[in-house]
């Protein structure tokens, strides 16, 4: 049985798409009011790069803007994300709490390793009371390299994980698992890409499938 599970947050546990568009629209409306943007909000572009650290997001969405404008937009976007989480506009994916209950009942340790920022992750954990199950939530903000594999490595070393899996929807999660000798479980959810999922050891369409996978593997 797999004893330790390291989950991605966005697009894996949390349905980010429910707050993504409205928060991004808020951020670009702010740019419009400042006469710094006069086109459509690039929601499709963001969906394409979903999962990369936020500094890289703004490099892609605002390539012709100054670092100062990017940083201001990033800060405001984060404010709007957190406000929308706290107002209940987001949602966990189906069966998150049911699966977490099962894992805890079977003495499995649960961790979160995310490209999200510390305050953003804390808002989700707090709103949905995930601390009831999760040992530690780790943010890419804690890693200078902004490398998901290194973030997972820190968790593996800190907790002495030898029999574990990384569960996520993007290639960075799959690579993080393989780079650390863990099972790579890909989630075929909203932001997933077929070519990336093809590199996972296992692909699931619903988190409830983890109940049987965890019992069989390891």
């Amino acid at each position: 049985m797999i004893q330790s599970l390291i989950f991605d947050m966005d697009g894996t546990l949390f349905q980010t798409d429910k707050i993504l568009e409205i928060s991004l629209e808020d951020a670009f409306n702010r740019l419009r009011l400042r006469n710094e943007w006069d086109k459509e909000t690039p929601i499709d572009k963001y969906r394409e790069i979903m999962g990369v650290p936020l500094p890289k997001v703004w490099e892609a969405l605002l390539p012709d803007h100054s670092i100062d404008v990017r940083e201001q937009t990033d800060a405001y976007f984060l404010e709007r994300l957190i406000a929308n989480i706290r107002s209940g506009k987001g949602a966990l994916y189906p069966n998150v709490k049911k699966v977490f209950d099962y894992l805890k009942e079977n003495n499995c340790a649960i961790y979160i390793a995310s490209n999200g920022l510390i305050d953003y992750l804390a808002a989700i954990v707090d709103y949905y009371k995930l601390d009831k199950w999760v040992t530690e939530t780790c943010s890419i903000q804690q890693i200078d390299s902004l490398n998901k594999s290194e973030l997972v490595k820190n968790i593996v070393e800190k907790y002495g994980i030898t029999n574990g899996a990384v569960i996520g929807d993007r290639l960075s999660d799959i690579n993080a698992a393989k780079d650390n000798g863990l099972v790579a479980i890909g989630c075929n959810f909203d932001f997933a890409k077929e070519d990336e999922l093809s590199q996972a050891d296992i692909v699931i369409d619903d988190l409830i499938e983890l109940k049987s996978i965890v019992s069989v593997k390891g």
Side-chain angles (χ1 to χ4, degrees), residues 200-211:
D201 297 312
I202 302 166
V203 176
I204 60 174
D205 296 308
D206 190 304
L207 290 169
I208 203 69
E209 296 173 51
L210 289 175
K211 291 175 67 174

Side-chain angles (χ1 to χ4, degrees), residues 6-57:
I6 303 172
F7 288 86
D8 174 45
M9 179 67 89
D10 291 313
T12 299
L13 296 177
F14 184 67
Q15 296 187 58
T16 317
D17 59 325
K18 289 187 177 295
I19 62 167
L20 177 64
E21 189 165 347
I22 54 176
S23 300
L24 201 65
E25 192 66 45
D26 288 343
F28 277 85
N29 278 338
R30 182 174 179 273
L31 288 171
R32 291 183 185 98
L33 289 172
R34 294 168 171 247
N35 295 316
E36 293 171 337
W37 189 263
D38 61 1
K39 299 185 283 291
E40 293 292 314
T41 300
I43 183 68
D44 290 337
K45 178 65 176 177
Y46 193 8
R47 288 179 177 277
E48 287 177 17
I49 60 175
M50 186 69 190
V52 304
L54 276 176
K56 296 186 181 300
V57 165

Side-chain angles (χ1 to χ4, degrees), residues 32-102:
R32 291 183 185 98
L33 289 172
R34 294 168 171 247
N35 295 316
E36 293 171 337
W37 189 263
D38 61 1
K39 299 185 283 291
E40 293 292 314
T41 300
I43 183 68
D44 290 337
K45 178 65 176 177
Y46 193 8
R47 288 179 177 277
E48 287 177 17
I49 60 175
M50 186 69 190
V52 304
L54 276 176
K56 296 186 181 300
V57 165
W58 300 113
E59 286 178 20
L61 298 188
L62 301 173
D64 301 322
H65 289 68
S66 67
I67 291 175
D68 185 51
V69 169
R70 291 177 193 167
E71 289 178 346
Q72 290 179 23
T73 305
D74 183 32
Y76 184 72
F77 180 59
L78 180 62
E79 285 180 19
R80 296 310 306 152
L81 284 171
I82 290 173
N84 285 320
I85 291 165
R86 290 176 174 164
S87 65
K89 293 179 181 176
L92 297 178
Y93 276 95
N95 299 313
V96 169
K97 294 185 176 182
K98 187 178 294 185
V99 168
F100 277 8
D101 276 337
Y102 173 83

Side-chain angles (χ1 to χ4, degrees), residues 112-124:
I112 292 172
S114 171
N115 282 336
L117 301 184
I118 293 170
D119 290 346
Y120 167 75
L121 296 174
I124 298 173

